[in-house]
Amino acid sequence: MRLGPWEPWMKMKGKPGFLVLNYTGTKTDEFEELQPQLKTLIEQRMPLFREAPVTALTAIDRYKLEPI
């Protein structure tokens, strides 16, 4: 579990509150090990994620990649 600030796309800057984030996942060694549906989504919507990132993206970096 992680507590975090509002995401920029939420347009809640300056308002009280925070996000409670809870993640679940597994790790694979190869992109090909992913489920076919997930591979298709990655290829169509965010091909950059086909390879593991070298560093973590910030919320602002993610927003710049795919703004709402």
Side-chain angles (χ1 to χ4, degrees):
M1 183 181 80
R2 179 174 78 85
L3 300 177
W6 302 119
E7 294 285 355
W9 56 267
M10 299 172 110
K11 298 183 179 177
M12 298 286 287
K13 186 175 181 177
K15 295 186 180 172
F18 54 89
L19 298 176
V20 177
L21 305 154
N22 191 2
Y23 303 99
T24 303
T26 60
K27 184 175 180 174
T28 62
D29 291 321
E30 300 291 329
F31 180 77
E32 276 58 32
E33 294 176 32
L34 296 173
Q35 295 177 6
Q37 292 172 317
L38 182 55
K39 289 192 300 188
T40 299
L41 281 172
I42 291 170
E43 292 290 357
Q44 290 174 350
R45 298 188 64 197
M46 195 61 84
L48 173 69
F49 286 4
R50 198 175 196 294
E51 301 292 328
V54 178
T55 62
L57 294 174
T58 66
I60 297 296
D61 292 332
R62 289 192 310 269
Y63 181 77
K64 288 177 183 175
L65 288 171
E66 190 173 314
I68 302 293

